[in-house]
Amino acid sequence: MLSTTTSRIALQTRPLFVQRFYATGAGSVNSLLVVEHKNGKIGGATLNALSAASKLGGSVTALVAGDAPEAVAQAVAKYAGVSKVLTAKDAAYANGLPENFAPLLAEVQKKHGFTHLIAGHTAFGKNIMPRAAALLDVAAVSDITGVESEDTFVRPIYAGNAIATVKSNDSVKVVTVRSTAFAAAEEVADNSPATEEADAAEKPNLVQWVGEDIQKSDRPELGSASRVISGGRGMKNGENFKLLYDLADKMGAAVGASRAAVDAGFVDNSLQVGQTGKIVAPELYIAVGISGAIQHLAGMKDSKTIVAINKDGDAPIFQVADYGLVEDLFKAVPEMTEKL
């Protein structure tokens, strides 16, 4: 596969605020938004990806594929920026298997001549988009945080310690979008795009859907919560995470964890925040017993307000925190819960 991507890399020694410049009115841009959905609801990252697609200018067509895509197609049609909706109804698309989705994207691109294929940088998007790029023989540009023009994007590398400005010379740009970098698109009352069925595509019989095990919680979803409380190795064991659960319930917050806590078996890896976990950017992030390794900071440093609680006053987490409390967490957290 030939890659035609070039990049300019700016090293940073402190948090970098990227000024973004956007293309407007680019008549040649024709984007396809891959809609992630489950149980009849649009995935939140799709709405952020729609905002990124709108920054490119031109038209945006939403693709909804599944065994019953009609309700989701009607829902996505109400959002600003969507000019057309394509639906692909087939049981093969019911569970987001990339082996079936990627050929569909390639076929739709070739039929309609889309210049950009765009999805959220979620497990769904990261699974499908590189495969689609391979079928189209182009390079994928992943995890973008900014759009400079229709062929130039901003993305973090080296756990966010460097920012790369990447220009793609491919005729088709395949892009995944970091949801925390773009505001979610909003519904508009007067949007009524045309809807049509996508052409049939090859569905390779390579894998079979067996099932899934979903953990349900009454707390907000970690990736989209406005408040997040995370615990690290300082929690000492999994039972002590109840302190964070009690505080989170008082605040209506989601609970997260550092990789150290996950690797130690304190909590399930679905709670991991960091470079190899979930990327979050809530209004309030409280780091409890977390030292502040760079891998963890990569997943939460874009939070609006960061509060650190750690008995080690020299912990690196205090360098990025807006508020810091040097105190034993086993004293501080119960006191906070009681006062709330």
Side-chain angles (χ1 to χ4, degrees):
M1 182 188 302
L2 297 177
S3 174
T4 56
T5 302
T6 58
S7 64
R8 304 191 303 274
I9 299 176
L11 293 177
Q12 66 180 80
T13 56
R14 59 183 179 179
L16 177 68
F17 295 91
V18 180
Q19 185 177 7
R20 299 173 182 141
F21 302 91
Y22 303 119
T24 57
S28 61
V29 175
N30 185 16
S31 300
L32 178 69
L33 174 71
V34 185
V35 178
E36 180 179 356
H37 59 93
K38 194 171 185 67
N39 298 326
K41 296 182 179 179
I42 302 171
T46 295
L47 301 180
N48 304 104
L50 173 56
S51 294
S54 298
K55 300 291 185 183
L56 293 164
S59 62
V60 179
T61 298
L63 172 64
V64 183
D67 56 347
E70 296 84 2
V72 177
Q74 292 176 4
V76 78
K78 299 177 182 178
Y79 283 88
V82 176
S83 54
K84 187 177 181 179
V85 179
L86 291 177
T87 61
K89 184 175 182 178
D90 196 297
Y93 306 130
N95 300 296
L97 294 176
E99 291 82 0
N100 294 333
F101 261 81
L104 173 64
L105 298 190
E107 185 65 29
V108 168
Q109 189 281 324
K110 293 173 183 176
K111 171 68 183 297
H112 296 271
F114 292 111
T115 59
H116 296 71
L117 305 184
I118 301 173
H121 191 69
T122 60
F124 174 84
K126 289 186 286 186
N127 221 1
I128 293 171
M129 302 306 276
R131 292 173 182 265
L135 292 176
L136 295 170
D137 197 26
V138 299
V141 183
S142 63
D143 199 22
I144 70 164
T145 57
V147 176
E148 290 196 348
S149 69
E150 62 186 66
D151 61 2
T152 306
F153 310 94
V154 176
R155 62 183 300 270
I157 58 176
Y158 301 128
N161 283 297
I163 302 298
T165 300
V166 180
K167 181 177 181 180
S168 172
N169 295 323
D170 287 320
S171 58
V172 181
K173 283 73 174 173
V174 179
V175 179
T176 59
V177 177
R178 178 175 291 197
S179 59
T180 57
F182 296 88
E186 297 182 353
E187 290 189 36
V188 289
D190 57 349
N191 200 39
S192 55
T195 301
E196 68 178 63
E197 292 184 7
D199 291 343
E202 180 186 3
K203 293 176 279 293
N205 188 24
L206 300 176
V207 297
Q208 180 182 1
W209 178 262
V210 176
E212 63 183 354
D213 184 14
I214 300 177
Q215 292 187 341
K216 296 183 178 180
S217 173
D218 294 332
R219 300 186 184 88
E221 200 277 323
L222 181 58
S224 58
S226 61
R227 302 182 182 114
V228 175
I229 303 171
S230 287
R233 197 196 307 271
M235 298 301 298
K236 295 186 178 179
N237 59 56
E239 294 180 359
N240 289 332
F241 262 78
K242 185 178 184 305
L243 297 175
L244 303 189
Y245 295 140
D246 291 342
L247 179 58
D249 290 341
K250 291 277 188 177
M251 298 178 60
V255 174
S258 68
R259 177 170 179 173
V262 171
D263 287 349
F266 296 171
V267 292
D268 184 76
N269 62 7
S270 63
L271 300 186
Q272 183 176 328
V273 173
Q275 183 182 8
T276 54
K278 290 183 171 65
I279 306 295
V280 300
E283 295 292 328
L284 173 64
Y285 187 88
I286 303 178
V288 182
I290 294 176
S291 62
I294 188 62
Q295 290 84 359
H296 184 76
L297 299 184
M300 45 66 70
K301 65 181 181 180
D302 290 332
S303 303
K304 306 301 182 293
T305 301
I306 299 174
V307 177
I309 302 175
N310 199 304
K311 65 180 181 181
D312 180 7
D314 295 325
I317 190 69
F318 288 115
Q319 297 177 14
V320 299
D322 298 288
Y323 300 94
L325 176 61
V326 181
E327 180 62 271
D328 185 344
L329 70 89
F330 296 104
K331 176 183 177 183
V333 174
E335 187 174 346
M336 292 174 62
T337 304
E338 180 183 353
K339 292 184 179 298
L340 284 171

